[in-house]
Amino acid sequence: MLAYLKTYLTQGEQAVNEKQRSLCRYLAKMESAQAAEWLISTYPIDSVDYGEAFLLMPHRSWRRADQRRLANYYFKKLPFSGAYGYELFASFMSTSTLLGCVRERLPMNHADAELLLYYLVPALKKFAKGQADYQLIADFAIEAQKVVEE
C-alpha cells in the first residue's frame, strides 16, 4: 500500500509540476502587462485556487507597473497567514515599492496588523539589500502599529 501511495503521489506531483511548467511557458510568451492581466483574471482573489498565481509569478520578470498591479490586487487578501506571499513579492519587488503597496491596505484591525507584521517583517528582512531597506522596514513597522483601527 505504501509503495502504491508513493507512486500515486509522485505521479500527481509530476502532473501538477508539468501543468505549472506549461503555464510558466505560456506566461513567458506574453508581455508583462498581458501576463499580469491573465493571472488576475485566471486566479481571482475570491477563487479557492488563487494561490496558484503565487506559484507562477516568480517564473518570469515583471515590469514595475505590473509588479505593483499584481501586489495591489493580491494584497486585498492581506494579511496572509504565512510568509510565502510576502517572500514571493519581496523576491521581485523593491522594499519601498512593496511597502507602498502594503501601506495602501492600512489601517487594519489590531489582530490583522499583528499577523501582517509577524510574517511581513522577517520576509522583508530576508530580501533586504542594505541598511536603507532595513530602515524602511523598521519605519513601516512603527507606522503600521500606529495606524491600527480601534
Side-chain angles (χ1 to χ4, degrees):
M1 179 67 168
L2 185 58
Y4 169 77
L5 187 57
K6 283 183 178 178
T7 302
Y8 177 77
L9 290 175
T10 302
Q11 289 172 346
E13 289 171 2
Q14 288 173 347
V16 169
N17 289 338
E18 183 51 43
K19 177 186 173 193
Q20 289 172 352
R21 280 192 291 275
S22 175
L23 289 173
C24 287
R25 286 190 298 270
Y26 179 67
L27 286 172
K29 293 177 184 176
M30 297 180 196
E31 292 293 323
S32 179
Q34 183 183 12
E37 177 59 35
W38 185 88
L39 280 176
I40 290 168
S41 64
T42 304
Y43 300 107
I45 58 173
D46 58 352
S47 162
V48 294
D49 63 346
Y50 84 94
E52 289 286 319
F54 288 25
L55 299 174
L56 301 173
M57 275 186 234
H59 297 284
R60 66 156 294 131
S61 59
W62 299 98
R63 299 181 102 180
R64 286 194 181 146
D66 299 317
Q67 292 173 8
R68 284 190 297 275
R69 182 174 178 208
L70 288 166
N72 285 331
Y73 179 74
Y74 286 105
F75 283 5
K76 291 177 185 176
K77 293 288 265 190
L78 289 183
F80 298 138
S81 60
Y84 181 74
Y86 303 116
E87 290 177 355
L88 163 75
F89 283 97
S91 73
F92 63 81
M93 292 179 78
S94 71
T95 300
S96 63
T97 302
L98 193 149
L99 286 175
C101 294
V102 173
R103 194 171 276 115
E104 291 181 23
R105 307 277 25 113
L106 297 177
M108 56 180 60
N109 67 53
H110 180 73
D112 286 349
E114 290 293 319
L115 184 62
L116 172 85
L117 293 173
Y118 182 80
Y119 289 113
L120 175 66
V121 170
L124 289 175
K125 286 181 177 179
K126 182 177 178 179
F127 288 91
K129 293 177 178 57
Q131 189 57 38
D133 283 351
Y134 287 109
Q135 190 60 53
L136 286 171
I137 296 164
D139 292 346
F140 176 80
I142 292 167
E143 174 189 346
Q145 290 173 340
K146 287 181 181 177
V147 297
V148 170
E149 291 176 347
E150 297 302 328

